[in-house]
């Protein structure tokens, strides 16, 4: 029986071969430069996909929330890093988890460091998150006063262990010159490592985001790479040049519920609650909420003529269809939709169907 | 103990008083005109909130998917309508549910009617969805050939029962002249009712969307109203004039994890996986992903000076904060965020915390 026979409603498909190839490619790149790859598991959020990753030498992962860290605990990871400015209201939960799992957190201000120093009951590592230009979060790279104060507080604690500096240059998502961003980011991390390594000889520097890690070939003296999305990729990454459409490892299978041949539109069950509402805008100003692929027994394949989701609401999706697709599509068919942002789509769907018809886990409600 | 003490991570709060007032107001409006109110339960997706609604005379609800209908089955609803062009891959599930619950579906093409006619094992009602200008889905109001064909097929079935015409004029969300849309929509439904009522004397007409139902006072000879969002409202509805900010019944409680006083920004744990990515654009082109309210023991209150979410990513939210908020906020505080689109936020969060500290159910993964 084909996996397709199991599908009656919107279902997120995963191609294990593509996923493994994506992980292997990044693991090989990191290894070839002597870097440790610590992938951000906010994309896959899965035990089973974690087991695939372990086959390529991955030993540590990163979570986006303490709930996701809890889901990933006890799965054999050397350390789980929670790459979000630590939320001091979750100290109790952190203590519970740290009793049985090596964990690290991210600190961006002395108040949080003090709270952890006062209340930790088990050893927990921490990175200081650095902002070298993205501007979302982190201690500014030149704010040595704050760094010094966080380190002073940590030194007074026998539980809070400084591990190093973490930098997420998220502006690679909207800045064409990724080389320049990476140069600034690497320079910032190396400057900090040089400045603090006599006091903390074991400190490491970690850098990572998928658009940068996918296209850069030289990461300088940075120790660790931390991209996440590369495990699946998506249309946004294809647009950014991080991957080709053939590298996208997940695809939403959707049922066709109506066809309007006059308007050249196909109505599907598949909307914002399945795909999330991330959107690409093409050069003519048209919105694109996902692109259509053909489903077959072995997976999916790109179509010769482009068809795409021109609009979505909560459950509805409207495909602007090519003539060739219109010529063959029938009510009741299944189509595939490559997502704009796979992390968000996977989070909406909360599980995957593999191409051999097995369910693959995804953390539910872990945000 | 205050409900606030229960919160350590992003949590969707519900104010029962506001919710009940919203339901009562719409129920009173419908009753005063002799219309039946059949609310779209894709917003609340809850048994308990359904029980509140029953106190205001609500006896039927609408679901957005067969999975949500399944969740709502057995809760004492006279009928559950699935307001989505029926997906013929779900006929088996429909037969299962229809064995124990009165259901109706929506049909927009003869292929679907034929499939149901052939395969239904229990009686199921159906509405023909009509498109009178929105352009998303439905049989065009003047496409009498398709309507006739659907009705012909249904007549040959002893299970498929025609109930009437359903019209969702979703263009009220982006068209200022709601009066005009409602006039067109009501005219369309009445024309159809007149045309088909000799053959189907019991047929009903149902019309509904929140922006229209909230502001219109006269629904003409339409029989039933079917809005959904009005149960909670949100900032998009406030923007459209459907409600005031004081009528918004849900609010995302979020922990403050960092404060950048220089930039006037507050970093919260609260992003696209909690709020969804619906956005309002103000007249200066600024994005608004939600607005800040103060939380206190009895619920939340609007702030004298506006603070809003200027950007969100998967888990992060960045608040552009007023000076008065900056003066008092501390790392570890909780703030409230009024959502842009409450249906999507509730779907992301999958549960509510009431102001007396009780958990209120929301269907999980029912899309």
């Amino acid at each position: 029986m084909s996996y397709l026979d199991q599908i009656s409603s919107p279902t997120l498909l995963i191609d294990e071969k593509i996923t493994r190839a994506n992980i292997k490619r990044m693991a090989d790149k990191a290894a070839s430069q002597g870097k440790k790859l610590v992938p951000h598991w906010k994309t896959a959020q899965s035990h089973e996909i974690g087991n695939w990753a372990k086959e390529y030498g991955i030993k540590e992962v990163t979570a986006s929330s303490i709930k996701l860290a809890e889901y990933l605990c006890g799965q054999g990871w050397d350390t789980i890093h929670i790459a979000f400015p630590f939320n001091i209201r979750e100290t109790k939960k952190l203590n519970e988890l740290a009793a049985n799992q090596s964990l690290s957190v991210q600190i961006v201000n002395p108040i949080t460091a003090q709270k952890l120093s006062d209340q930790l009951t088990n050893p927990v590592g921490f990175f200081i998150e650095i902002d070298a230009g993205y501007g979302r979060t982190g201690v500014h790279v030149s704010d040595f006063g704050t760094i010094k104060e966080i380190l002073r507080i940590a030194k007074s604690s026998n539980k809070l262990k400084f591990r190093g500096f973490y930098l997420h240059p998220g502006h690679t998502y909207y800045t064409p010159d990724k080389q320049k961003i990476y140069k600034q980011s690497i320079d910032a991390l190396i400057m900090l490592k040089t400045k603090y390594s006599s006091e903390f000889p074991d400190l490491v520097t970690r850098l990572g985001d998928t658009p940068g890690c996918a296209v850069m070939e030289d990461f300088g003296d940075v120790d660790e790479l931390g991209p996440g999305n590369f495990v699946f990729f998506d249309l946004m990454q294809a647009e950014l040049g991080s991957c080709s459409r053939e590298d996208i490892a997940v695809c939403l299978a959707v049922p066709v519920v109506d066809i309007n041949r006059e308007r050249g539109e196909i109505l599907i069950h598949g909307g914002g609650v399945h795909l999330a509402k991330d959107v690409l805008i093409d050069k003519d100003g048209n919105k694109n909420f996902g692109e259509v692929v053909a489903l077959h027994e072995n997976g999916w394949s790109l179509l010769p003529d482009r068809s795409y989701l021109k609009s979505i609401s909560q459950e509805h999706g409207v495909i602007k269809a090519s003539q060739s697709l219109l010529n063959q599509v029938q009510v009741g068919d299944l189509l595939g939709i490559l997502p704009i942002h796979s992390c968000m789509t996977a989070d909406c769907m909360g599980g995957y169907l593999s191409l051999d018809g097995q369910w693959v886990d995804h953390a539910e409600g872990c945000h």
Side-chain angles (χ1 to χ4, degrees), chain A:
Chain A
M1 194 178 85
S2 163
Y3 73 95
L4 291 167
D5 300 324
Q6 292 175 244
I7 303 175
S8 57
S9 60
T11 302
L12 189 60
L13 304 175
I14 184 166
D15 186 317
E16 181 176 340
K17 276 189 199 163
I18 300 177
T19 309
R20 283 178 176 270
N22 290 341
I23 297 171
K24 183 174 189 303
R25 195 181 317 114
M26 193 65 81
D28 287 349
K29 181 188 259 194
S32 74
Q33 294 204 25
K35 313 298 181 198
K36 186 198 274 186
L37 176 61
V38 183
H40 203 316
W41 224 239
K42 70 171 185 170
T43 305
Q45 300 193 36
S46 170
H47 296 162
E48 183 163 343
I49 303 170
N51 290 336
W52 304 348
K54 288 170 194 164
E55 295 180 30
Y56 304 96
I58 311 294
K59 293 182 172 169
E60 299 182 23
V61 284
T62 292
S64 46
S65 68
I66 200 160
K67 289 184 185 176
L68 179 57
E70 183 173 21
Y71 182 76
L72 299 173
C73 276
Q75 295 290 311
W77 297 113
D78 286 354
T79 290
I80 299 169
H81 175 60
I82 306 168
F84 195 88
F86 186 73
N87 164 13
I88 58 176
R89 300 179 79 93
E90 290 172 335
T91 311
K92 184 163 167 269
K93 174 63 78 183
L94 181 65
N95 277 327
E96 286 168 25
L97 301 183
N100 298 301
Q101 168 75 55
S102 166
L103 293 170
S104 56
V105 298
Q106 215 145 285
I107 294 181
V108 298
N109 55 53
I111 296 168
T112 305
Q114 189 63 55
K115 185 87 171 185
L116 286 170
S117 172
D118 294 345
Q119 301 192 342
L120 281 183
T121 53
N122 289 291
V124 168
F126 76 94
F127 283 79
I128 297 178
E129 183 178 2
I130 296 297
D131 178 8
Y134 180 27
R136 181 178 70 176
T137 178
V139 180
H140 191 270
V141 61
S142 63
D143 184 359
F144 301 118
T146 298
I147 294 173
K148 189 175 169 187
E149 181 63 5
I150 293 171
L151 292 174
R152 185 192 65 74
I153 294 165
K155 276 196 129 173
S156 72
S157 159
N158 61 351
K159 300 286 189 292
L160 202 48
K161 305 293 176 194
F162 180 51
R163 291 194 51 198
F165 296 102
Y166 184 104
L167 198 157
H168 174 71
H171 44 332
T172 53
Y173 277 83
Y174 50 81
T175 310
D177 191 348
K178 294 174 199 11
Q179 302 281 343
K180 185 176 167 193
I181 291 173
Y182 261 59
K183 184 172 182 331
Q184 288 168 342
S185 301
I186 293 168
D187 286 353
L189 287 171
I190 298 312
M191 178 273 289
L192 290 168
K193 183 164 180 169
T194 306
K195 188 171 168 69
Y196 293 98
S197 63
S198 59
E199 199 178 353
F200 300 96
D202 297 330
L203 84 81
V204 298
T205 52
R206 188 183 298 171
L207 170 70
D209 64 285
T210 289
C213 286
V215 302
M216 298 296 296
E217 292 300 331
D218 182 358
F219 300 94
D221 287 331
V222 165
D223 302 303
E224 302 181 349
L225 302 179
N229 179 284
F230 75 96
V231 174
F232 294 155
F233 286 123
D234 51 34
L235 290 173
M236 194 187 295
Q237 297 291 344
E239 192 80 3
L240 288 165
S242 315
C243 67
S244 70
R245 279 167 170 70
E246 286 81 356
D247 298 322
I248 300 174
V250 291
C251 162
L252 188 73
V254 293
V256 170
V257 295
D258 198 28
I259 300 163
N260 189 315
R261 294 181 193 280
E262 209 167 282
R263 286 203 298 256
E265 291 176 359
I266 298 169
L267 186 73
I268 57 165
H269 186 197
V273 292
H274 311 101
L275 288 160
K277 289 199 169 171
D278 294 84
V279 61
L280 291 174
I281 313 283
D282 73 14
K283 57 183 182 348
D284 302 321
N286 299 311
K287 289 181 177 180
N288 170 11
F289 293 94
E291 288 179 10
V292 180
V293 291
L295 297 180
H296 48 73
E297 297 214 349
N298 303 313
W300 57 85
S301 49
L302 302 181
L303 294 171
D305 304 311
R306 180 167 176 267
S307 296
Y308 65 99
L309 267 179
K310 59 170 257 193
S311 67
I312 57 175
S313 38
Q314 188 166 341
E315 303 264 352
H316 298 73
V318 179
I319 291 168
K320 184 73 190 163
S322 69
Q323 196 53 52
S324 56
L325 179 59
L326 282 171
N327 289 346
Q328 56 187 6
V329 71
Q330 302 290 340
V331 169
D333 283 357
L334 292 175
L335 295 174
I337 306 289
L338 296 180
I340 303 298
H341 188 174
S342 60
C343 313
M344 293 291 295
T345 302
D347 195 81
C348 285
M349 295 303 295
Y352 313 85
L353 182 65
S354 74
L355 303 182
D356 52 2
Q358 304 299 309
W359 289 99
V360 174
D361 70 295
H362 179 292
E364 280 205 46
C366 282
H367 43 256

